[in-house]
Every structure is written in C-alpha cells, then in structure tokens.
C-alpha cells in the first residue's frame, strides 16, 4: 500500500520575471517501507517537491495523500499532529543545526516540542538511545556542531528526524556535502534504520551513483516535471528518456577496461519561468524533432510500470 500519494502537484513561485514552475504537475506514489529516489540537476525542483509534500510550503495545486487521507489543505494546527509522522533530513547538516546548541539539546529539542518525554529522566534516556541508534558516542553529548565532523553532524540530523518516530522521511541530498568515504557509512545507517523501523523514504540527490543502491523506484526530474519513473533496476538497465540516458552515461566507470560513451547534452538548462508548452528537454536533446518543440509530451507507460515523457521514446527504446 502507498504511504504517500501525490496527484498533479504544482508549486509555482511568482518572481519578477514571471511565474516560476518549480514543480509542475507531478504525480507519484511511495509504497510503505520503500524508497523513492528523486534525481535531476540542481534547480529542477527536487527540494521544492519534498518540502511541498511534507507541508513546509503550501502547494499551488494538486493533492497530497498520506496513508490514504487527503492532507492537502490541512490547517497548520491540524498538520502539527501529522508533522511527527513526516520528517526531513537536510543536505547541509551544519546550516540546519543551531550552532549554539549541544548535541544533547539538538536531539532533545523535537522531543520537547512535541512533548514526547514525560520527565527529564525519560528525555535523557530517549536522547541516549537515539545517539546510540545513529552511532554518536555518548561522550559527545555536550559537544557543539562545530566540534564534530560532517558525518557526525549528519547523524545528529538523522537522530533529530527519528526522535519523533516518523514513518516517512524526505532525505534531501543527505550525503552530498560529505566526503565520499563517509557517504557510504551514512547511507548504510539510513538503510539499516529503514529495515529496523519500516521507514518510507523519499531520497533526493543529483548523484546517480548514490541513488542506485538505496532506491526501489526512481523518478527522474527535469525542470519541474517527472520525465521518467520506474523501478531502480529497470532504470539502470534500460533508461528510456534521453535525459536519463545522459545522466547515466555521466557516471564514472571504475573499470578502466570498460569504455563508456558519454552522451553530451547540448546547450544550457532552459528557464523554469513561464515554460512553453513543449518538451522542456528538447533544446538539449540529441533526438529532438519538430513535434518536440511544438507539443508537451505525456507521461506514458511503456510496460513494466515504466513511465516516460518523450515523443521519441519508441524509436529510442528499440535502439
Ligand atoms: N522560495 C522560492 N522562491 C522563488 N523561487 C524558488 C524558491 N524556492 C525554489 N525556487 C526555484 O525553484 C526551482 C527549483 O528549486 P529547488 O527545488 O531548490 O531545486 P533542486 O532542489 O532540484 O536543486 C529553482 O529554479 C529555484 O530557483
Ligand atoms: Mg535541492
């Protein structure tokens, strides 16, 4: 069963230059205890999508369902109850942690805000358990974020998200700011936690190699739209959208004996402000024909729960 379903979700921003379509008609669902990877270049709307789903910002249009219940227009007060179920882990743990608070205070804060510990003793015990769960040594209880490395700071972010026992977590580039050596440790922690606690993740990243192992399903975003959606295995085996093919071809191959052809994308990312009703990837696409510049493609199913938004996809999928 789906824990999260979103239907035709839009989030527009009014800017001096016009209406910016940050998220433009996105429909997707995330099964309980599974991970949906969301990939795409910087600025394609990944964070806005995650923030809108968990009500950090209101949608312009569309519906958000949580456990089958439509929560789109919940008042902030009614949403406070749901907030404990839906949490977010941010890219830059340093920017998202108050530098004046100690490790203990940072992890205790959400528990206190939602009154989830009855006494000081219970609070101390709960924070101790959480530190243990995310692998921060008890002796660091009174340390401050600037005294810790990036991996430990992200572990605090994870402990804060877990502290209120959520079932859904939006992980927004949680390892992008970390050294490669530490990335794997944090990813393993997230996977262990998912298994133990049956967590449902939306895992946002611009890095295809990170998303491969952690995701059950993947959405590829381009300028506010989901242009391809399928099982992770399927995407890495048979990417259909020219943009996904280009992203995948850009992953470095560790084996120097395998030659890999990098698909070049032409031109620049077009603007998400007042986009024309045509394929948004067309100006950069090596396969684009006239129809691509004239008509918005539909997200169509090509079998195997594999969805793609491309006028040329038949030709490409057979090649
Ligand atoms: N509060 C805001 N006001 C105006 N534009 C915004 C705001 N937040 C995000 N955007 C714009 O929305 C688009 C998507 O941004 P974002 O969701 O942060 O992308 P990503 O996370 O994929 O890098 C970008 O063009 C960004 O400039
Ligand atoms: Mg982002």
């Amino acid at each position: 069963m789906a824990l999260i379903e979103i239907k035709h979700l839009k989030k527009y921003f009014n800017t001096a230059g016009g209406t910016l379509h940050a998220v433009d008609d996105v429909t997707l669902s995330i099964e309980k205890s599974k991970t949906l990877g969301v990939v795409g270049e910087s600025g394609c709307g990944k964070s806005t999508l995650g923030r809108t789903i968990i009500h950090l910002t209101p949608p312009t249009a569309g519906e958000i369902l949580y456990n089958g219940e439509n929560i789109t227009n919940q008042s902030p007060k009614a949403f406070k109850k749901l907030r404990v179920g839906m949490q977010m882990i941010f890219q830059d743990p340093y920017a998202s942690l108050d530098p004046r608070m100690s490790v203990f205070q940072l992890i205790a804060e959400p528990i206190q805000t939602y009154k989830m510990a009855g006494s000081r003793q219970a609070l101390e015990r709960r924070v101790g358990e959480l530190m243990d769960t995310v692998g921060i040594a008890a002796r660091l209880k009174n340390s401050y974020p600037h005294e810790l490395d990036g991996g430990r700071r992200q572990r605090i972010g994870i402990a804060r998200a877990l502290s209120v026992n959520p079932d859904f977590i939006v992980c927004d580039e949680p390892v992008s700011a970390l050294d490669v050596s530490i990335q794997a440790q944090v990813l393993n922690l997230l996977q262990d936690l998912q298994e133990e606690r049956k967590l449902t993740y939306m895992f946002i990243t611009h890095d295809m190699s990170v998303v491969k192992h952690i995701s059950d399903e993947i959405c590829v975003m381009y300028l506010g739209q989901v242009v391809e959606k399928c099982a992770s295995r399927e995407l890495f085996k048979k990417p259909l959208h020219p943009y996904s093919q280009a992203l995948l071809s850009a992953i470095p191959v560790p084996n120097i004996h395998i030659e890999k052809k990098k698909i070049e994308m032409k031109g620049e990312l077009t603007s998400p402000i007042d986009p024309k009703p045509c394929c948004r990837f067309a100006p950069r696409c090596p396969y684009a024909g006239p129809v691509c510049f004239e008509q918005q493609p539909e997200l169509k199913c090509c079998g195997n729960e594999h969805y793609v938004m491309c006028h040329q996809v038949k030709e490409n999928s057979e090649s």
Side-chain angles (χ1 to χ4, degrees):
M1 190 196 150
L3 180 70
I4 300 290
E5 274 179 273
I6 67 167
K7 297 180 184 169
H8 305 291
L9 193 73
K10 295 183 182 175
K11 177 67 191 184
Y12 294 174
F13 295 107
N14 290 321
T15 68
T19 307
L20 191 150
H21 295 219
V23 174
D24 212 357
D25 200 354
V26 169
T27 295
L28 56 82
S29 63
I30 315 177
E31 297 291 304
K32 274 191 179 147
S33 316
K34 300 282 185 197
T35 299
L36 175 73
V38 176
V39 290
E41 282 162 284
S42 174
C44 71
K46 306 179 297 297
S47 298
T48 306
L49 175 64
R51 292 169 53 84
T52 311
I53 294 175
I54 67 165
H55 276 227
L56 288 176
T57 178
T60 305
E63 283 181 5
I64 304 163
L65 281 78
Y66 174 65
N67 251 328
E69 183 192 354
N70 190 334
I71 59 162
T72 318
N73 295 312
Q74 290 232 348
S75 67
K77 199 169 158 212
F79 191 75
K80 200 172 169 204
K81 263 209 322 236
L82 289 172
R83 158 70 54 233
V84 295
M86 308 167 104
Q87 290 289 309
M88 188 145 176
I89 298 170
F90 299 91
Q91 169 173 3
D92 184 353
Y94 201 52
S96 59
L97 299 176
D98 186 336
R100 294 159 303 178
M101 288 168 82
S102 68
V103 172
F104 179 87
Q105 290 169 323
L106 284 164
I107 300 176
E109 187 187 43
I111 305 173
Q112 290 169 308
T113 305
Y114 292 100
K115 301 193 172 51
M116 296 183 84
S119 64
R120 178 77 196 176
Q121 251 181 333
L123 179 68
E124 299 227 356
R125 196 171 52 234
R126 182 94 185 99
V127 173
E129 283 166 6
L130 282 160
M131 287 179 68
D132 190 42
T133 302
V134 299
I136 304 175
R139 67 182 157 78
L140 298 174
K141 197 169 121 174
N142 298 316
S143 304
Y144 288 85
H146 73 267
E147 298 171 313
L148 305 174
D149 59 37
R152 287 205 179 84
R153 287 202 289 258
Q154 192 53 290
R155 286 172 197 269
I156 299 175
I158 296 170
R160 277 168 63 87
L162 288 179
S163 67
V164 294
N165 294 324
D167 48 15
F168 176 58
I169 302 182
V170 174
C171 307
D172 190 357
E173 309 253 12
V175 300
S176 302
L178 303 178
D179 290 347
V180 174
S181 59
I182 298 171
Q183 284 190 356
Q185 296 171 13
V186 173
L187 288 174
N188 286 339
L189 172 64
L190 288 170
Q191 281 183 303
D192 291 346
L193 291 169
Q194 176 169 48
E195 223 159 276
E196 280 162 28
R197 295 165 184 243
K198 308 273 171 272
L199 296 170
T200 306
Y201 289 152
M202 178 163 145
F203 192 97
I204 295 172
T205 179
H206 65 274
D207 186 342
M208 278 297 219
S209 48
V210 165
V211 87
K212 183 174 180 179
H213 300 288
I214 200 155
S215 308
D216 298 288
E217 277 206 285
I218 295 184
C219 283
V220 179
M221 280 186 82
Y222 192 79
L223 285 180
Q225 298 175 319
V226 170
V227 296
E228 185 158 5
K229 185 167 76 170
C230 61
S232 174
R233 249 175 292 118
E234 170 94 3
L235 184 73
F236 280 85
K237 210 169 68 194
K238 194 179 151 200
L240 293 181
H241 198 286
Y243 179 60
S244 312
Q245 292 171 354
L247 284 182
L248 282 170
S249 77
I251 300 178
V253 184
N255 186 343
I256 53 162
H257 300 298
I258 298 175
E259 264 213 51
K260 196 166 169 185
K261 200 166 151 261
K262 188 164 184 262
I263 301 172
E264 294 291 340
M265 280 188 279
K266 298 185 286 185
E268 299 276 304
L269 200 69
T270 41
S271 163
I273 295 175
D274 299 320
K276 293 189 194 76
C278 64
C279 172
R280 293 182 193 177
F281 186 60
R284 298 172 84 186
C285 182
Y287 309 106
V291 63
C292 308
F293 292 92
E294 287 156 14
Q295 211 179 315
Q296 165 68 54
E298 302 272 320
L299 190 67
K300 60 187 168 206
C301 185
C302 302
N304 224 356
E305 296 288 300
H306 193 153
Y307 293 84
V308 62
M309 186 185 272
C310 175
H311 288 301
Q312 309 290 349
V313 79
K314 280 203 189 73
E315 292 88 314
N316 291 335
S317 64
E318 278 157 14
S319 65

